Amino acid sequence: MRQRRLGNSGLRVSRLGLGTMSWGEATDADEAASQLAAFVEAGGTLVDTADVYCDGESERILGGLLDDVVPRDHIVIATKAAAKRNDGPFGSGASRGALLNALDGSLRRLGVDHVDLWQVHVWDGQVPLEETLAAADHAVATGKVRYFGVSNYTGWQLAAAAAAQQGGPNPIVSVQSEYSLLERGIEREVVPAARHFGVGLLPWAPLGRGVLTGKYRGGTPPNSRGADPGYAGYVDHHRNDRASRIVEAVATAAEGLGTSPLAVALAWVRDRDLVAAPIVGARDTAQLAASLAAEELELPAEITAALDDVSAIEFGYPEQRRG
């Protein structure tokens, strides 16, 4: 698997990241071990988790696999903080106390002395941005964090944070956002902000929450997330007429190329401007293998253009360019 630099930083990551949101729930420790081994064998290095995934179990499982399945220094560990873990005074948010408390918890669960990429999971409008960034600076200065990023920020939020860190020892190197053929909203303001400040993109849900694989074309498979009451709303967000047109275009392209709709959709987002690594999750190793197989696919320019066109979003004032 090829490697890319994350934004303007010196951090290199595989151009596909392994997501672990389901580890500890739909994916048990044995299956997680199989996934991690397959991912690393394929040349993958970026493994993404968060302190809130399965109440911390995702981090615990990953930590238990280090050295047994893969040496610690062979992977880039990315985790997140700020989403709600509990009702305690430091159980959520982007305050200094909450963030540093969350980081210490992540390090304990992972069984490591540092993480390679630490991301603020969500914007916290109740906390001064300066306090949030000072906590990140402290985490880097103490050696507990190597690089710092953000997640789910709007364009102005990313720009404000990146501008505050610009020129300092701890610039923002990444923003993790939902991005796929079905969700291109970040192209309006997040992508321009990221380009201006040299921030790399880590797309989550690059397969449109599973819809772009084509599995829902004929209905809802009984063993899919769309059939799970806990995830049905998550999937249904991208089940509409516009999505159906895009899914059919992806399926047509896949048929013409002799590959899968999954591979086409993943290759499209992987090769978008500023993207370092789409984050793909899988229930089992077979699903992951399908994503890993997309590494070899390079979309012809005419197919990329056709997919761009069918999935195009509307730009209006003030994002639109005139003349």
Side-chain angles (χ1 to χ4, degrees):
M1 191 181 302
R2 279 173 267 181
Q3 307 288 305
R4 289 172 171 166
R5 286 176 59 207
L6 187 53
N8 285 345
S9 78
L11 179 60
R12 292 187 306 116
V13 298
S14 53
R15 67 174 188 169
L16 190 67
L18 176 61
T20 65
M21 187 173 70
S22 66
W23 287 17
E25 188 178 51
T27 304
D28 63 23
D30 289 339
E31 183 56 45
S34 178
Q35 286 187 22
L36 183 60
F39 179 68
V40 172
E41 183 178 357
T45 61
L46 177 62
V47 182
D48 182 75
T49 185
D51 59 345
V52 294
Y53 289 170
C54 298
D55 294 325
E57 193 62 21
S58 170
E59 290 181 327
R60 290 189 192 94
I61 289 176
L62 177 57
L65 299 178
L66 297 179
D67 295 327
D68 288 340
V69 175
V70 58
R72 163 66 183 91
D73 61 357
H74 284 199
I75 62 172
V76 174
I77 296 178
T79 194
K80 312 178 194 73
K84 185 174 181 179
R85 302 181 311 281
N86 58 61
D87 293 324
F90 304 113
S92 64
S95 69
R96 179 185 297 106
L99 287 176
L100 296 180
N101 183 63
L103 176 59
D104 287 342
S106 290
L107 295 177
R108 283 195 303 270
R109 287 186 291 272
L110 289 163
V112 298
D113 62 3
H114 74 277
V115 294
D116 302 297
L117 176 63
W118 192 43
Q119 303 155 100
V120 177
H121 209 155
V122 292
W123 174 267
D124 187 346
Q126 303 302 309
V127 175
L129 177 60
E130 294 80 7
E131 180 176 339
T132 297
L133 298 177
D137 290 343
H138 176 77
V140 172
T142 56
K144 294 180 179 180
V145 167
R146 296 292 191 258
Y147 294 88
F148 173 56
V150 297
S151 178
N152 299 308
Y153 272 32
T154 64
W156 76 263
Q157 291 165 355
L158 174 61
Q165 297 296 93
Q166 192 174 37
N170 182 33
I172 292 175
V173 303
S174 64
V175 57
Q176 192 168 149
S177 306
E178 182 172 5
Y179 191 27
S180 72
L181 279 161
L182 299 185
E183 181 52 85
R184 295 178 60 181
I186 67 168
E187 293 178 9
R188 294 187 178 95
E189 294 191 348
V190 174
V191 170
R195 182 181 298 111
H196 181 79
F197 289 102
V199 175
L201 298 179
L202 296 173
W204 62 266
L207 299 176
R209 310 187 185 196
V211 175
L212 286 166
T213 65
K215 69 171 69 175
Y216 298 105
R217 292 171 75 194
T220 303
N223 63 340
S224 67
R225 278 187 170 183
D228 184 334
Y231 283 100
Y234 174 82
V235 174
D236 288 346
H237 178 76
H238 286 318
R239 297 179 73 179
N240 50 48
D241 290 342
R242 173 179 177 272
S244 294
R245 292 192 297 272
I246 296 170
V247 169
E248 291 306 315
V250 169
T252 299
E255 183 177 358
L257 294 171
T259 188
S260 68
L262 180 155
V264 170
L266 189 54
W268 180 89
V269 71
R270 180 198 67 203
D271 294 334
R272 299 297 287 178
D273 186 31
L274 306 182
V275 169
I279 307 298
V280 296
R283 187 170 54 250
D284 52 44
T285 308
Q287 283 190 345
L288 177 62
S291 293
L292 295 175
E295 169 67 11
E296 302 303 319
L297 178 63
E298 300 293 337
L299 294 179
E302 60 271 21
I303 288 182
T304 298
L307 294 175
D308 289 351
D309 184 63
V310 74
S311 65
I313 58 173
E314 182 177 349
F315 283 77
Y317 178 85
E319 304 93 12
Q320 65 186 3
R321 298 182 179 183
R322 298 180 182 274

